[in-house]
Amino acid sequence: MAKQQYAPKKKGKIVPIHMDADFYYEWAMRYLDKLNFQKALRYLRKAVEIEPNNPDYYCSMAGILAELGKYEESNRILWHVLDEVDPSLDECYFYLASNYANMMEFELAEQYILKYLQSFPESIYAEEAEDLREYIEFHLQDRPRQSESDTSLEVVFQHDRARRLLEEGRFNEAARLLLSIIKGHPDFIAARNNLALCYYYMGRFEKAMETVQQVLEEDPCNIHGLCNLAVFYSHLRNQEKLEQLLAVLKKIIPYHFDLAYKLATTLGILGEDEAAYFLFRKMVPRTGQGDLYILHYTAVAAYNTGRIGEAESLWKKVERIDPSEKVAPYYLRQIQQRKIGGQAISEASYHYQLPFHDTFPFGSIETSSDEINQEWKRNPLLRSSLLWALRFGDRDTKFQVIQAFAYIADSEVEEALRGFLMNPVEDDYLKKLVIFVLRKMGAEQPYKAIINQQTRIIDFRLRSIVPVWTEKWQEVAECLRVHMQDRYDVLEQQEAQMLWIDYIGKTYPNVPTIRKKEAWAASLEYVIARRYNYAITQEEVAARYGVSAASLARNYKLITAVCTLP
């Protein structure tokens, strides 16, 4: 039998299949035909990743999100199309009008449908647009109106854009846009209400109070203004005025949906869950049982007022509408824990997201920093929630948020942290942590902070106060930094460094000869220790630096003779 010959094995080659955006889009449409919205969204997102400038993909995503009751998220995608992808795609205004109508914001919906009808009077959606316009005007209980001028429509759109910036936590941009609107239209009260909120979120509390009071001077019964004022009183801990205002707000039953929504959310945030429940419960039927956020808010109010069965029923509806989210399952687990006598949360949060501590494991911040950064950039809700937590969370939450911000490090974060430093009611220790984070971010110095009820200017740079800065002087500064870094907070370390700079500047050019850097560093530390009343002796400080107490005492006298500490 002939010997069988074997050909040498060739290495297998895996030929990757290139699936283009059209492939994913086609599959998305197949799942959409089967009403499988979650899979349709998944494939559309893949299509967008491959072809990020195709407006059709975005519009399809916006449509699916609207079907799921996620109108705000749908609107964000539509505005992204108009702002970044295809500004000429005016049919987005039709979709926006439909979304706002579903959100019961009929005045805004009317503006968008008017804009669409102006641009496309003969479009394929013209008949549907006229039907939508009639539906909106029926709910507004107004006669059909003529299209408003381009100028007035443009102002409405600019204000809506400012609102979106505010919701996304981009407070500086929102404030600039609102100021420009108010400059041209000083009687636009809604813009001034939102400007007051901007100032509040930015930590400019006096400006916030001044702005909302201007609103109420012109319109004393303005519900948005009264709600904002209540939040401001709560933050300023003005309990007497807050209780007086809450007594008034709890008697109001607004007819318009958007006013009821503003009042209910404000009451809920301020802990008036019973009054919030009463308003939210009335809103549920008006949304057709399909608005995720109203269902969630009502469930939260029910949970916080002990209506556990109703809360469970509402969150089950949320879970059916939005099975991809973890919010409803989280609260349903809490209810089950409560039923069996286990440990469950005492209060639910009105924010439609997992509680802050469950969103990101900040205890392992080193391993999750990339995830936080990416999520921050793509998720406006997380952005606004973190900024909200910095202002209104408990001390532990603020501590974790400040650490997280070190890894996000964008201009909005820097602005928020600088505002935190100037808030007189914030914890001094947290402010010192903020200063550390700002330095780690590379934020430009100096930093201005209210510490110990005094305004301080913090600057860690060795500023050029003398013609030259010698190596010996720098060695003293470095020795001081190494010895103090684990024993003193960042401000005390900075004071020691600035004291050394001040001493050099005041004695130059007759600066004493530096023979032993440790002796000078020990003396500087002892000055700071005395300033903050630390129970420590010259001998103890000298021993840590390996110098004699006599050397420390001698240099201490030289330093305090020419330098005055605040």
Side-chain angles (χ1 to χ4, degrees), residues 270-297:
L270 295 176
E272 298 291 338
D273 296 296
E274 188 67 42
Y277 171 80
F278 175 78
L279 292 170
F280 281 129
R281 200 70 190 84
K282 284 180 170 292
M283 283 187 268
V284 171
R286 295 175 66 182
T287 62
Q289 302 287 332
D291 189 302
L292 278 175
Y293 301 105
I294 296 297
L295 289 171
H296 171 72
Y297 300 152

Side-chain angles (χ1 to χ4, degrees), residues 27-37 39-40 43:
W27 273 97
M29 294 303 101
R30 291 185 186 183
Y31 281 115
L32 184 58
D33 289 340
K34 298 176 183 178
L35 301 182
N36 190 332
F37 298 126
K39 284 195 174 181
Y43 280 102

Side-chain angles (χ1 to χ4, degrees), residues 284-354:
V284 171
R286 295 175 66 182
T287 62
Q289 302 287 332
D291 189 302
L292 278 175
Y293 301 105
I294 296 297
L295 289 171
H296 171 72
Y297 300 152
T298 312
V300 170
Y303 185 93
N304 291 348
T305 55
R307 298 174 171 90
I308 305 304
E310 185 172 356
E312 183 176 28
S313 174
L314 288 164
W315 271 316
K316 283 181 178 178
K317 289 180 181 178
V318 173
E319 187 177 34
R320 286 196 296 271
I321 295 171
D322 195 9
S324 65
E325 287 289 345
K326 300 177 182 178
V327 177
Y330 170 84
Y331 285 111
L332 289 171
R333 287 195 300 272
Q334 297 298 317
I335 289 173
Q336 291 306 310
Q337 284 294 313
R338 189 162 173 164
K339 284 181 176 179
I340 64 175
Q343 187 174 3
I345 57 171
S346 58
E347 287 190 357
S349 169
Y350 285 93
H351 290 291
Y352 185 65
Q353 63 178 64
L354 290 178

Side-chain angles (χ1 to χ4, degrees), residues 78-226:
L78 293 169
W79 273 112
H80 174 74
V81 173
L82 290 169
D83 290 343
E84 307 290 341
V85 181
D86 186 359
S88 67
L89 197 64
D90 285 354
E91 66 193 66
C92 288
Y93 293 116
F94 173 74
Y95 304 141
L96 285 163
S98 178
N99 283 347
Y100 280 120
N102 280 306
M103 294 164 70
M104 312 295 284
E105 294 192 32
F106 293 111
E107 290 85 355
L108 201 51
E110 183 185 39
Q111 301 303 317
Y112 284 106
I113 203 63
L114 288 172
K115 170 70 173 176
Y116 178 72
L117 288 170
Q118 280 182 349
S119 303
F120 287 101
E122 305 297 331
S123 74
I124 59 171
Y125 294 116
E127 187 175 344
E128 292 179 50
E130 287 291 350
D131 290 343
L132 179 57
R133 179 182 179 179
E134 289 178 8
Y135 171 79
I136 291 167
E137 289 171 344
F138 170 78
H139 281 278
L140 287 173
Q141 295 185 344
D142 198 2
R143 291 180 304 169
R145 293 164 49 187
Q146 297 301 314
S147 299
E148 298 188 31
S149 67
D150 289 339
T151 302
S152 61
L153 286 175
E154 184 60 30
V155 171
V156 171
F157 299 149
Q158 288 298 310
H159 181 246
D160 191 35
R161 177 179 174 80
R163 280 201 326 168
R164 288 183 288 113
L165 292 170
L166 182 59
E167 290 167 0
E168 293 171 11
R170 295 159 65 182
F171 305 125
N172 294 321
E173 293 179 64
R176 285 194 292 269
L177 185 51
L178 288 166
L179 282 168
S180 70
I181 292 171
I182 293 167
K183 184 178 180 180
H185 302 269
D187 57 343
F188 198 161
I189 287 183
R192 278 198 272 168
N193 265 324
N194 282 320
L195 181 61
L197 284 176
C198 271
Y199 285 141
Y200 174 59
Y201 293 139
M202 293 162 70
R204 300 176 64 182
F205 304 111
E206 290 184 8
K207 288 290 291 181
M209 189 65 77
E210 177 188 330
T211 305
V212 78
Q213 285 173 346
Q214 288 173 355
V215 168
L216 294 172
E217 282 174 9
E218 291 190 25
D219 184 2
C221 297
N222 186 278
I223 290 179
H224 283 272
L226 291 171

